[in-house]
Amino acid sequence: MRGIIFIAPPAAGKGTQSDLICDKYGFEHISTGELLRDASEEDNLEALYIKEKIDSGELVDDELIIELIDKKLHNLKTNGFILDGFPRNLVQAKMLNEMIKNFNLKQLYVFNIDVEFSVVMQRFTGRITCPDCGNVYNKLIDELKPKKDNYCNDCDVMLETRADDNEETFTKRFELYADETEPLISYYMEKGVLHRINGNLDTMQIFNQIVNILEGE
Ligand code: AMP
């Protein structure tokens, strides 16, 4: 079993890279944002709480997210997984550490996608997602445009801009990343599992850096 974690600001391309890795290696893509967006559509109080947090760009409660991840990891049917959007802070990283002790984990890779703010802004501005499968596209970046304008390549469903992809929420999410998530870089560096990726390049150049590390080159 191999595990991958991303430490990267919002709209750095974690979802896109996760899809490419899963296509190549058959890993399971576990996106906490996606799981939470699904949970926010249920008809209960917890759904309202989650929606409020997502819409304001704040983090949901650690306990709730850890429960979601734990369930997913216990039901894994693949020989690898990608945690996209988790851990987001030190509490979550320490909990993950405990959880994976029960797994026969051969290797944990932590990819820090290092990307400039202006690049992230461009990726964020054009981002459109499929409300059904969560596929991510970008109307401003040629290689990330859907085959048919505004429709998902896989589901043929009309693509949408995520409700939390507005400038105000994005700035808040970016600040939260700097305050809560970025400190994980030194946490994982000390554990010797951190790999820095130049995230200012195009999609395939970023992917190639990741593949080289996974292939041990
Ligand atoms: P994402 O799709 O990763 O950008 O996540 C969208 C939103 O879901 C975030 O802005 C948070 O409100 C929430 N979220 C996702 N992952 C986590 C997490 N690990 N811990 C707390 N909140 C999360």
Side-chain angles (χ1 to χ4, degrees), residues 16-55:
T16 306
Q17 293 301 325
S18 297
D19 289 343
L20 290 167
I21 297 168
C22 290
D23 282 352
K24 187 171 169 75
Y25 295 100
F27 292 174
E28 179 159 340
H29 179 190
I30 304 170
S31 155
T32 44
E34 204 52 42
L35 290 173
L36 290 169
R37 279 186 286 281
D38 286 348
S40 74
E41 280 168 17
E42 305 267 318
D43 190 12
N44 56 37
L45 274 178
E46 187 173 85
L48 285 179
Y49 160 78
I50 295 172
K51 190 169 168 11
E52 192 192 308
K53 289 291 183 191
I54 293 179
D55 288 352

Side-chain angles (χ1 to χ4, degrees), residues 11-12 115-125 141 199-201:
V115 54
E116 282 166 22
F117 186 73
S118 59
V119 175
V120 160
M121 271 320 265
Q122 190 210 18
R123 289 183 190 155
F124 147 74
T125 310
I141 302 173
N200 299 313
L201 307 174

